[in-house]
Amino acid sequence: MQSDAIKTGPSRAPARAMLRATGLDDAAIARPLIAVVHTWSDVSPCNLTLRDLAQHARAGILAAGGTPIEFNTIAITDGIAMGSSGMRASLASREVIADSIELAVSGHCLDGVVVLVGCDKTIPAAAMALARLDLPSAVLYGGTIMPGQCRGKKLTVQDVFEAVGAHAAGTLDDAGLAEVERAACPGAGACGGQFTANTMAMVLTFLGLSPMRLNDIPALHGDKGAAAFACGQLVMQRLRAQGPTPSQILTRDAFRNAARAVSATAGSTNAALHLLAIAHEAGVAFTLEDFEDAARTPVIADLKPGGRYTAAEMFEMGGTALVAHELRAAGLLLDGATVTGRTLFEELDAVPATTAAQDCVFPVSAPIKPRGGYSIVYGDLAPEGAIVKLAGHGRDHFEGPARVFDSEDAAFAAVQARRIHAGDVVVIRFEGPAGGPGMREMLAVTAALVGQGLGNDIALVTDGRFSGATHGFMVGHVSPEAAHGGPIARLRDGDRVRIDVATRRIDVLADLSTRDPARIAPRVTGGALAKYALQVGSASTGAVTTPTTLRGRSAFSESAPAPRHQQREGVADSLNAL
């Protein structure tokens, strides 16, 4: 066992003495030491149940013959930080969470990992850390929130952001805004539509890092504790079986499956950023252009923000397995290893058949939309690429005059002052990974535009990001970003911008080469965000801060060891003896 490095032999007596002080006895120390890492916080509903779920995961590890070792790490809640300077911390937190999981587990030489996650960045961060560690492991999503109810309408937090826009437009009074605010989030769980958290929870299932169906269970559902218990047992099973571990699970085919699932559910464009980052950590060749291939997958799930249903409602109808079944039937899903020890197709075959009527997921042959909810474009404004969000408006072409803003705050003020008009192309720059810093999401702006009735009549272009709750004609992740001298920094008010999804182009009808790029003073000059701004790479490659990772080991390993599953010869015999 890897943990023998801290607990076996006379020289490890000091370490054992400290372990005893935590309440462990000889038997507990001798067993495999399994990390239970969670992102519990009581600042938001997204992570509120994770400390309790950790107790179930611990019980599963104990029942299977292991010793749980619990850690907590941070979470930044986008729904609270959105529209504020705090949103700059969100994407940067992904790297901090991944780093802290890696350091806590490797620093104590632990034998396996269960990670419990909640809001947006905690989910890809867990996958990034597990790719580095390559230990027997599993991730469990804490679960979605239930829909709110207001005057017979189902609500998510998206409706609150849009209500802010309606309030600014004068179509919703103070009492109406307060009514929506109080009804939208009825309890624990992450935001309820196919926004970033639910999109990434689904991605973990299609990647093979989470067991089929367990991430679908809502946060307050009675079965969620049993799911955490099962994950604890599962990691012990993978330890005894000597795999599969993430290096065997995270293949190029697995990433293709995940990207197609995002397209099929019109999921968050943030999934592209996060899948690129996970692939980077796993040492898998997967690029932004691979998402264009995936985007040919039709939209078959009728989910918010563009559709009718929340994630909790899709769970009641059959959940992620419904999407997987339809993709496999159409030949759009590839088989591969999963954390359960069974292949993805074996997992699907084990899902109990249901005869219940459902109108959330459709066959690929009769889709809601013939292509996915995003497209990758290049051109004068984005030589390295950008992502167009297509779900919810049905357009594939837009041309209009640029309204250029050097921050989200300036754009939001213009929207609230009703200075944005139908036909405008709103450009928000210096909000990229380095320039923001932190690549803030533009939900406050986009939701306010929707609330004012302009959602289908303007386009928005930014080197920042969009929330999964955003819908409308939106182009994000423009690369290179303005802070790195990208062409978006040379735009001026009134320049005509043309976006054409059919030709996959985003161009400016002006000669940008004769202009100097705009510049702004750094927004932060010290602390974590300043360090992040210096380290972070382009959004077109996942906005990562680590060096190129060699397959099967941490980027910071001093030497290149054999893959973990080859190092554990004889571990099964040792475990069985316990």
Side-chain angles (χ1 to χ4, degrees), residues 1-6 33 103-112 135:
M1 289 181 287
Q2 183 164 282
S3 60
D4 286 343
I6 62 165
L33 304 183
L103 292 172
V105 174
S106 62
H108 296 92
C109 301
L110 303 182
D111 300 304
L135 292 168

Side-chain angles (χ1 to χ4, degrees), residues 16 46 69 82 145 155 177 194 211 296 298 318 333 419 472 481 496:
R16 290 193 298 273
C46 313
I69 306 291
M82 197 76 68
I145 197 172
L155 299 181
L177 178 59
Q194 192 68 342
R296 299 189 184 101
L333 199 65
R419 298 201 304 269
E481 61 176 292
R496 292 195 69 79

Side-chain angles (χ1 to χ4, degrees), residues 88 404-409 427-440 442 461-465 478 480-491 516-523:
R88 294 193 177 101
V404 181
F405 302 93
D406 286 344
S407 70
E408 178 189 10
D409 311 88
V427 177
I428 306 176
R429 63 191 182 187
F430 293 103
E431 291 288 4
M439 206 178 180
R440 291 194 290 180
M442 303 294 122
V461 176
T462 181
D463 52 9
R465 297 181 293 131
V478 170
E481 61 176 292
H484 288 165
I488 193 172
R490 300 173 188 268
L491 267 186
D516 292 330
R519 301 185 187 279
I520 65 168
R523 292 190 172 109

